[in-house]
Amino acid sequence: MPELLVESAGVPRARAMVARAEWAARTFATYDKPSVDRIVRAAAKALADHAAEFAKAAVAETGFGVADHKALKNLACSTGLVDHYRDHDYVTPRIDVDAKIVEVPRPAGVIFALTPSTNPVATTSFKILLALMTRSAVIVSPHPLAKDVCSAAAKVMAEAALAAGAPDGVIQWVAEPSIPLINALMTDERVDVIVATGGSAVVRSAYRSGNPAIGVGPGNVPVLVDRTADIPAAAARIIESKSFDNSILCTNESVVIVESAVADKFVSAMVHEGGFLLNPEDRDRIRELVFPDGHFDIRFVGKDATWIAAEAGIRVPANTKVLIAPFDLAVPEEPLAHEKLCPVLGLIKVPTAARGIEVARAVLRITGAGHSAAIHSRDAQTVLAFGAGVPVYRVSVNVGNSLGSSGIHTNLAPSMTIGTGYAGRSSVGENLQPSHLIHWTRLAYNADVREVLPDFTGLSPWTAATGSVPPYPQASNLSTANVAPPRAQDDATELREEIRRLIVEELHQIIKG
Amino acid sequence: MSHDYGFFSFESKDEVLAKSKEFWNPGKTQFWIDEGVPLVIDRREGYFIYDMSGKRLIDTHLNGGTYNLGHRNPEVVSAIESAMTHFDIGNHHFPSLARTALAEALIAGAPPGLTKVVYGSGGGEAIDIALKTARHATQKRKIVSIVKAYHGHTGLAVATGDDRFSKLFLSEQPDDFPHVPFNDLAAMEEALVGRDVAAVIMETIPATYGFPLPNPGYLEAVKAMCERYDALYIADEVQTGLMRTGELWGISKHGISPDIMVTGKGISGGMYPISAVLVNEKAAGWLTEDGFGHISTFGGAEVGCIAALKSLEICSRPETRSMVHYISDLIGRGMRSIQDLYPDWFVGIRQNGVILGLEFADPQGAKFVMRRLYEHGVWAIFSTLDPRVLQFKPGLLLTPELCEELLDRAQVAIGLARDDVARAGRKAS
């Protein structure tokens, strides 16, 4: 058989996607706010309509996580996200009368979005919607383990966006991701920004690419429970949060640090909520099983606590949600002090809250700096000391960290991409949000009082989207006049056809009941 | 400055031009000097060609679509380089790997009904194959084409075209090759009504005539007449195929399934000569009756087949189609706004996708525009058979930035050409 040197077929196609995205971005950047809102809502709704289906498909494809929890995230990152940003505007120029500055938002352009296997659909939806809100084109490259479900998610969003008037090609996705393909797109000069969520290797190569990039580092979340905490509430929140999606999020708690004075009460409360306290022998078995030779075995990613216990030959109650593994010292050679993408929670007792802060710092020295931490306390001074002492950019207070740091149970920006800032080798320290994907052109008037800022109220440089974009290239002698849309007749027919189709579909739904 | 190309070298552009006249083609060489386009293409890359002087030009002539995908498209170059490690031209006597693979790919993307592929080495040969095929299938000799048609320069093809190219070589054959006016259905019917016509051959948009657009329904009616009077319909898609109209084949936009379809030029990315004729079962008979009926050593050269497979794949991508729609929209709108500036001079825009014929209000108007465009870094050619009209054919893979630059250059050049014509007019009168 001849072996001809042929570039993997996906790579040239991916480059073609970038070229198409450039065209889409150029057009999208002229859309006005109502057009953008319509597109964003349509894409979000399309994903939300499939939230549960895609959640199940993600679990089936990747083999980890909890479908119900994923469905919740899918909703939070689609219609939930749109609700959150309902009153935000990344399109209309802003006028600062006092500063005599008018600010015109400029989209990033072409966004290359890498999405992880742990949070596949929610992150795909999240990044697509951020791109749409800010009028950029986006190419999604899913993690290979979740490529089918992510492609399906991107496709329904793309179709809905297009039907709502988005320019053709504004949402594209890589159906067969590969390392050469990702490298080719990351280093493609036509990509305006890479938004990388995933393993450190992916994030580091995004930063090495030579293109602007927003990538975030890993988490390893310490949580402190001090003597002033509402113990039953803290225990309930931590068990719920640690078991959320079987702990595959970077925001799931890793090590709980508890003041000795309340430790027994706290552990009992956790057991009451579905925690299972491992004795030292069982703890060692779990450590050996989950971290053979000190390295995390990815077989356990996102698996149920009961399954992991059974693998270790440990009998646990059927309702067990989290395995609690006590240990003494958070140091690099202690596997239990590392990030555990499964419902195994480290437990360290400390004599004082001050010592607890030192332990939290120790956990983050291993990995996870810049990411997130949590504290359960009623003492403002301790909370402040924790926030100032622990090198993270968000601390969830009296709330589970999984949905706290991702802004779903707190008022942080709801996000599937947690900026780890300079401490975590990232360019962004906040939760990724639409504002990170635009820059502003500032029209700065002469500060001299004699130079007056004219009235910009109501002015907009953008236009409403009409018809299909781009229009179908009909021969020029088929249109009656160049100004009239050549297919006005057809459009009306198409619209009627579409309405008819929707009605038929609805009737089917009703009949199926 | 010496120009050393490794295999040969020249002291200067003047030396090239002198030797070009001495050893190659004095008439053609002098023509371009006289036209104010003293171009000797040196470096070429993407949609840019460079004169020996280093002057850069955006190519919107693309040799009739040969360079649809840009000059030396890296994907096509790499495909050919790779192919050459295993294949050569091949042996036309035998079944072949690459010819079979390309034929299957061509048929997969062809208008419905086309089932087999015959290969040539260039467009003219392919047209001759198409005409011979029609004659065999119908057992009739006459071929109807349009006045001012252009289908190439080989024995039969040249007879279908304007006598500008046949008379010179005493090759007109008016009895077997009647010409009827374009867009004239009555004349077409008159030519066909005797039922003695083997085929009508038609470029979907006649290129060398300056892209006059078929009237709505014209091609469809011609096809219906062919059916009524037992003639085959041959679609010459050499210039209108391969996504230039925003669909892979221009004829598809008319819903026509031709009996025979010819492709060439852009099919192999301008890197290796090859052409192909796609035929339906009605026309394919000779391939079974006598498979050696048409022989071509270089026809369907296997290296060319791989270049064509790659080019066809690029042209067929949804991304390419989408971009062509965008480019078509931007260039169309841009040209209309230039037209708004000079309505008395820039009098018409014929457009279908990225095929444009720009009409100017002077019998030689396109030559003036061509010269000014050349001066301003754009290469576009006048229509040989209607020099009022400039052929303007932007590439399929243009970036938004380059389209904007192209429109900037065109706006200035078209304006200056208008002044040139006005000055020339004053001098003449």
Side-chain angles (χ1 to χ4, degrees), chain B residues 192-251:
Chain B
L192 293 176
V193 74
R195 294 181 180 273
D196 59 346
V197 170
V200 173
I201 182 164
M202 187 79 78
E203 274 191 287
T204 304
I205 308 169
T208 312
Y209 196 8
F211 299 121
L213 297 173
N215 289 338
Y218 173 69
L219 295 180
E220 294 82 345
V222 171
K223 174 67 166 70
M225 282 180 195
C226 286
E227 286 167 17
R228 195 172 322 136
Y229 300 116
D230 302 322
L232 300 189
Y233 184 99
I234 303 173
D236 180 343
E237 283 275 321
V238 171
Q239 294 222 33
T240 47
L242 300 166
M243 205 49 90
R244 289 212 72 82
T245 64
E247 297 294 350
L248 187 59
W249 304 108
I251 196 72

Side-chain angles (χ1 to χ4, degrees), chain A residues 2 4-5 12-13 16-17 19-20 22-24 26-27 167-168 172 469-473 475-478 482, chain B residues 75 82 85-86 213-214 216 247 253 317 319 322-323 325-330 336 349-352 398 400 404:
Chain A
L4 301 195
L5 276 176
R13 271 300 287 282
M17 284 184 195
R20 182 189 198 174
E22 277 194 294
W23 279 100
R26 179 186 183 277
T27 308
D168 181 66
Q172 298 178 83
V469 178
Y472 186 79
S476 54
N477 64 342
L478 288 184
N482 286 333
Chain B
E75 283 191 59
S82 185
T85 61
H86 190 78
L213 297 173
E247 297 294 350
K253 288 176 92 169
R317 287 175 187 161
E319 292 83 9
S322 171
M323 283 170 64
H325 293 193
Y326 275 113
I327 296 166
S328 162
D329 177 47
L330 177 59
R336 288 194 292 278
I349 299 169
R350 306 161 171 177
Q351 182 180 10
N352 193 343
L398 281 170
E404 288 173 12

Side-chain angles (χ1 to χ4, degrees), chain B residues 368 417-427:
Chain B
F368 288 86
R418 171 174 172 258
D419 303 339
D420 293 342
V421 169
R423 261 195 306 277
R426 276 198 300 276
K427 256 184 238 165

Side-chain angles (χ1 to χ4, degrees), chain B residues 35-172:
Chain B
E35 281 298 326
V37 182
L39 173 65
V40 177
I41 299 168
D42 189 343
R43 198 152 70 81
R44 48 212 91 178
E45 187 172 27
Y47 291 105
F48 300 126
I49 52 179
Y50 295 79
D51 178 54
M52 280 182 76
S53 65
K55 180 183 176 61
R56 192 196 79 168
L57 296 147
I58 302 173
D59 189 358
T60 61
H61 171 204
L62 303 177
N63 271 37
T66 306
Y67 303 109
N68 272 343
L69 304 177
H71 291 268
R72 298 191 305 108
N73 180 289
E75 283 191 59
V76 180
V77 169
S78 145
I80 293 174
E81 282 174 351
S82 185
M84 285 193 300
T85 61
H86 190 78
F87 294 100
D88 53 19
I89 279 168
N91 184 325
H92 62 275
H93 293 87
F94 294 101
S96 131
L97 293 165
R99 277 198 286 280
T100 305
L102 174 60
E104 187 176 7
L106 279 167
I107 292 302
L114 298 170
T115 56
K116 288 193 171 51
V117 177
V118 192
Y119 294 108
S121 53
E125 183 187 358
I127 295 291
D128 277 18
I129 292 169
L131 301 182
K132 294 200 297 183
T133 298
R135 284 177 164 181
H136 174 271
T138 60
Q139 292 298 304
K140 299 191 272 198
R141 299 184 70 83
K142 265 193 191 172
I143 305 290
V144 175
S145 56
I146 62 155
V147 172
K148 302 273 182 194
Y150 179 97
H151 298 284
H153 297 264
T154 46
L156 301 177
V158 77
T160 64
D162 190 66
D163 64 13
R164 151 116 169 56
F165 299 113
S166 52
K167 265 190 174 154
L168 181 67
F169 300 109
L170 291 73
S171 299
E172 325 90 287

